[in-house]
Amino acid sequence: MTDQTLTVRFFARLREELGTEELTLPAEKEQTAGDLLAALACRGGPWAQLQGGQPVMIAINQAIAKPAAAVKAGDEVAFFPPVTGG
Amino acid sequence: MISVQSEDFDASVEYAALRDSGAGTGAIATFTGLVRDNGDTADVSGLFLEHYPGMTEQVIAGLIEEASRRWDVRKARVIHRVGRLLLQEQIVFVGVCSAHRADAFAACAFIMDALKTSAPFWKKELSEAGEHWVEQKASDVARGKAWGK
């Protein structure tokens, strides 16, 4: 079996407020991006904002995804505030 | 072609490259965005732009592809700067070559509007009072939605 972990990345305001750029987490079976957010929110403190706080955008393997999208081992999942470029 | 870079760009060089897109090109539309002094707060002295390397380029490439399906697009160029930018510096350039003006205007506006709500860039405004992350604007979301984004 290959590595049973996934990478979680944070950007901009979330990266700063969580004090975290990247995490490596064990991949669970039948997990969605929303499940991952809920699990991270349980860490409390600034992490609580990941659920019910300001909107969080999700990308899986660098493509925008919905909370119901499945995440699996080897995936790169990113959480970030609504984008403000241009 | 897509560039995400910290260095400034020369719009006249980009325009010259767009002109060199074949005899079928009858129209070129370009847009350049600058750092202005009144954003979410007054007296903005500059911006810091963060991005998600790799995803940014993929999203913009997808927008150019979509524009090419919807309109006549002979050539498209997008440059977006990242890092620290001072007042009045250039942030973004979008240029589109088409056979006719309507397609050039529409494709250029589409790429710019859709970039604002889908490409992973984030602006932080810097001022005397400190710094803060810019919030996404409802008017930008509405413009994206108007294009079906």
Side-chain angles (χ1 to χ4, degrees), chain B residues 18 21 25 27-31 64 67 71-78 93-98 100 103-109 111:
Chain B
L18 288 166
S21 56
T25 292
I28 300 173
T30 69
F31 171 83
I64 293 174
W71 299 281
D72 174 75
V73 175
R74 313 261 158 162
K75 194 172 187 178
R77 176 79 169 118
V78 176
F93 178 90
V94 178
V96 174
C97 301
S98 304
H100 303 287
D103 287 63
F105 279 135
C108 184
I111 292 169

Side-chain angles (χ1 to χ4, degrees), chain A residues 32-59:
Chain A
T32 65
D35 295 337
L36 197 54
L37 265 184
L40 289 168
C42 287
R43 294 181 170 202
W47 298 87
Q49 67 176 302
L50 294 175
Q51 258 202 331
Q54 295 185 60
V56 176
M57 285 176 80
I58 303 166

Side-chain angles (χ1 to χ4, degrees), chain B residues 58-79:
Chain B
Q58 284 184 49
V59 168
I60 297 171
L63 296 178
I64 293 174
E65 268 177 48
E66 184 175 345
S68 303
R69 285 195 301 272
R70 294 173 68 167
W71 299 281
D72 174 75
V73 175
R74 313 261 158 162
K75 194 172 187 178
R77 176 79 169 118
V78 176
I79 305 173

